[in-house]
Amino acid sequence: MPRRRKRGQKKSRTPKIGMTMTTGGGDKEDTDRVDRISSLPIDIIRRIHLCLPRVDAVRTSVLSQRWRTIWASHPKIYLNEEDFGAEFSVFRDKDEVDFSKYCDGEKEKRKAFLTYLQKSLDIRHKYFEHVDTFFLQMTVENASAESLVKKWIDFALKKKVKTLHISLKSRYGKRFDLCNIAFIAATLVDLRIEYCQISNCSFILPTLSSLCLVDVFIEDNDFKDLLAGCPGIEQLRITLYSKKLPTMVVSNPTLKLFGLYYPSFNGKVLIESKHLESLEFSFSRKFMWDIEITSRTTVRNLRLRGVNDQDRTLTHFINEFPLLEILVISDCSNLQNLYLSQRNLSSFEIYQVDEVEVRIDAPKLKSLEYTGGLTLFPGIEASKGLEFVRFYLNPEMLNDGWYIWLRNILECFAHAKHLSLICQSEQAIIFPDELAEVLLPTINDLKNLEIRIDSFAATSQQILDGFVWILPGLKTLSLTLGSITKVIEFPQ
């Protein structure tokens, strides 16, 4: 028979994980739990934070008091009200966020975010570790939120922040006014300001190398003070919307990259820098004659988007950079003829243009990428060192004229070491047999070809048969249909 337990005797228990038992004091049980989570090294806890989405990383602060303090002293701070479920309206015709219009039922989520902002700031003030990165995105609705935002910016600047990105807007489409803020930091390297108005601010940023202003309203004197406070700036990208900036003067001697995007003001731009290497312009109207660059001989990279000037104006502007090495042109719908004479050009990319004739005198050209209409490249054969050519084909209709153009392109770039055709058409690219007489003679110089087609409208053998008859000298063909790639070598 089983032994009976005496009256008053406690039932024995097996120790559970996370509990310790002591032998001293009889059978007394010590219910103190072993906090294994809190005992993790700080480096491991921070690695866990970095591997998690920001909203989940924030939630780990409830695991223990130690996790809460470590999170509060993390050098990277990301504050985004979208992480709290708050959503913004999106323009129907454009993939752009409208910070001034909220979706229904978002008030409680935004209130929770503001509460988190205040509590986080209170906790972080107790620690003296530096801030490496600070990112803040939100819509400021009232005076208390405005005060809280400015306290956070001041906190980050005093904590020796290196990267500072702020994206702010007020209600009803107004820009948040960064008024009377002292941007003073001896460590700040990267500053990005979006959807704000800058007025009466002071700037002392001796180590700043990258400045980006997106949809920012700023007047002439404030703009001058901003650039004067960043003597070592190397990269400057601007999207300005201001009628009180008649002339934009950028005279920082260390400037290497300058970018101007979709300006809506009728001013002029003067760029003065002996070390200028890269220029990026994105317009929606004629603007070339309003730009003055004192040193064009140092520019190596030029990117133009949406420039709809006349052909001669655009050609003249590009050819004024004698040492140009990289040229990118995109979304120039009015462009019809482009004549380039660049002795040092090594890379040329041209995207989203209509039927254009592009003449290139560039003996050092090594790579070319293209997408658009039936553009011709007469004279490209003179670029003997051409190595990589990539054509993105998106034909609306695979008619006879399109195949004749493609045949001419293959012949034009037959001397390139590597030629790629990337087609997003739902139809199969197969040269019709009935065009044999029109397409003759065949192309004997093309040795290596890569074809990538998204659709499975034809088998690989059909596409192979449709290309090989016009390319008798082909040595290798890399054919990709969907996710399947075949590399075919032809006996010579």
Side-chain angles (χ1 to χ4, degrees), residues 268-450:
K268 295 182 180 180
V269 180
L270 174 61
I271 308 171
E272 299 175 329
S273 176
K274 296 181 180 180
H275 298 90
L276 190 64
E277 296 178 358
S278 301
L279 289 171
E280 300 175 358
F281 295 115
S282 181
F283 307 134
S284 57
R285 61 182 181 85
K286 298 180 180 180
F287 198 75
M288 284 300 173
W289 293 115
D290 296 331
I291 299 177
E292 182 178 348
I293 304 169
T294 58
S295 178
R296 296 176 182 264
T297 58
T298 60
V299 176
R300 300 293 193 275
N301 305 323
L302 179 61
R303 296 176 180 269
L304 304 173
R305 181 177 183 271
V307 180
N308 291 317
D309 280 304
Q310 296 178 356
D311 299 335
R312 292 182 180 179
T313 304
L314 183 60
T315 298
H316 177 74
F317 181 81
I318 296 174
N319 289 332
E320 284 188 337
F321 301 96
L323 300 181
L324 200 62
E325 296 177 0
I326 300 175
L327 175 62
V328 180
I329 299 176
S330 62
D331 297 308
C332 298
S333 57
N334 292 341
L335 187 64
Q336 294 181 353
N337 298 285
L338 185 63
Y339 305 115
L340 302 178
S341 179
Q342 295 288 341
R343 311 305 295 175
N344 294 283
L345 190 67
S346 61
S347 176
F348 179 40
E349 301 174 20
I350 179 168
Y351 304 118
Q352 301 301 330
V353 296
D354 296 329
E355 297 183 16
V356 182
E357 180 177 291
V358 180
R359 292 184 179 271
I360 306 175
D361 180 12
K364 295 183 180 180
L365 189 65
K366 292 185 177 181
S367 66
L368 186 146
E369 289 193 13
Y370 173 80
T371 178
L374 307 185
T375 291
L376 300 176
F377 295 83
I380 194 66
E381 297 86 352
S383 301
K384 300 296 183 180
L386 198 58
E387 296 182 2
F388 301 98
V389 176
R390 179 173 295 178
F391 268 68
Y392 292 89
L393 309 176
N394 190 16
E396 297 181 358
M397 182 179 297
L398 296 176
N399 54 27
D400 295 352
W402 189 88
Y403 276 108
I404 293 174
W405 169 79
L406 179 58
R407 187 266 174 201
N408 292 334
I409 289 298
L410 292 174
E411 182 179 34
C412 187
F413 293 98
H415 64 292
K417 293 183 179 180
H418 187 87
L419 175 60
S420 298
L421 301 179
I422 303 171
C423 188
Q424 300 175 345
S425 174
E426 294 298 326
Q427 306 176 64
I429 300 180
I430 302 174
F431 278 101
D433 294 337
E434 58 269 19
L435 290 180
E437 295 182 359
V438 179
L439 296 173
L440 291 177
T442 57
I443 304 172
N444 298 308
D445 297 333
L446 185 57
K447 305 300 180 184
N448 305 299
L449 178 63
E450 176 188 358

Side-chain angles (χ1 to χ4, degrees), residues 21-33:
M21 300 293 293
T22 59
T23 56
D27 58 357
K28 181 180 179 180
E29 179 181 310
D30 185 356
T31 59
D32 294 338
R33 296 180 179 275

Side-chain angles (χ1 to χ4, degrees), residues 220 223-224 244-249 265-270:
D220 186 56
F223 185 75
K224 291 178 181 177
K244 296 184 178 181
L245 191 62
T247 302
M248 183 191 303
V249 180
F265 62 96
N266 296 318
K268 295 182 180 180
V269 180
L270 174 61

Side-chain angles (χ1 to χ4, degrees), residues 107-163:
K107 291 184 178 180
E108 294 301 321
K109 297 175 182 178
R110 285 183 168 77
K111 185 183 295 186
F113 177 70
L114 288 175
T115 301
Y116 172 74
L117 278 185
Q118 184 63 62
K119 290 183 177 180
S120 298
L121 184 60
D122 294 339
I123 293 173
R124 286 183 178 272
H125 269 303
K126 299 178 181 179
Y127 304 95
F128 297 94
E129 298 187 30
H130 72 282
V131 175
D132 180 76
T133 301
F134 179 71
F135 173 89
L136 175 61
Q137 176 176 302
M138 62 178 293
T139 301
V140 183
E141 296 187 274
N142 48 47
S144 60
E146 178 182 346
S147 175
L148 185 56
V149 166
K150 292 184 177 181
K151 287 179 181 179
W152 263 110
I153 296 175
D154 181 68
F155 169 81
L157 292 171
K158 290 181 178 178
K159 291 295 182 178
K160 301 179 180 180
V161 66
K162 295 181 180 179
T163 301

Side-chain angles (χ1 to χ4, degrees), residues 193-208:
I193 301 176
E194 299 181 358
Y195 312 112
C196 294
Q197 177 176 339
I198 300 175
S199 59
N200 299 320
C201 295
S202 58
F203 296 91
I204 303 178
L205 305 172
T207 60
L208 191 72

